[in-house]
Amino acid sequence: MSCIFCKIANKEIPAKIIYEDEHTVAFEDLNPQAPVHVLIIPKKHISTPLDIHTEDNALIGHMYQVANTVAKEKQIDKRGFRTLMNCNKEAGQSVFHIHLHVLGGRVMMWPPG
Ligand code: 5GP
Ligand code: ZN
């Protein structure tokens, strides 16, 4: 398996992991786009959001719970933060193992670029 985020989940390559449980890992983005930029991944390999199926519903919901935990830990919960998942080329997905971005610590623009 050559997937970089599977390797992070398996501790085969290093990352600044800030949270981990049975089903997910959260770590600091290597190239942060905001003062807080954390990625939450499932330990299960799912390539794109299009590959999320009914059996993954609880897992995806859980990822949002983890995002809340991270936001509270980073003290951006009350100020506000953005969670997002990019899908495929035009959205800018560059790693094909789904990841929930958690961005905060500055005012977020809308619409996004
Ligand atoms: P995407 O563009 O696919 O939505 O987001 C991929 C994110 O993963 C980018 O923000 C990028 O900086 C981050 N990233 C890519 N490779 C690594 C890595 O090896 N380690 C960490 N911590 N982040 C990575
Ligand atoms: Zn993977």
Side-chain angles (χ1 to χ4, degrees), residues 33-34 81-82 84 103-104 106-113:
Q33 301 301 313
F81 59 99
R82 184 167 291 167
L84 70 94
L103 293 145
R106 65 166 170 82
V107 174
M108 293 293 145
M109 302 302 153
W110 194 265

Side-chain angles (χ1 to χ4, degrees), residues 22-40:
E22 189 184 349
H23 299 293
T24 65
V25 180
F27 53 93
E28 307 280 357
D29 196 292
L30 203 57
N31 182 24
Q33 301 301 313
V36 175
H37 190 173
V38 172
L39 302 175
I40 299 165

Side-chain angles (χ1 to χ4, degrees), residues 44 46 48-62:
K44 173 184 178 182
I46 299 172
T48 80
L50 288 169
D51 302 300
I52 296 168
H53 300 298
T54 310
E55 67 264 25
D56 304 312
N57 285 357
L59 174 62
I60 302 304
H62 178 63

Side-chain angles (χ1 to χ4, degrees), residues 3 6 45 97:
C3 169
C6 281
H45 180 87
H97 177 133

Side-chain angles (χ1 to χ4, degrees), residues 5-23:
F5 285 179
C6 281
K7 286 182 177 166
I8 286 176
N10 292 329
K11 317 284 165 49
E12 290 166 32
I13 62 168
K16 285 187 192 162
I17 293 175
I18 59 164
Y19 175 90
E20 179 170 12
D21 62 29
E22 189 184 349
H23 299 293

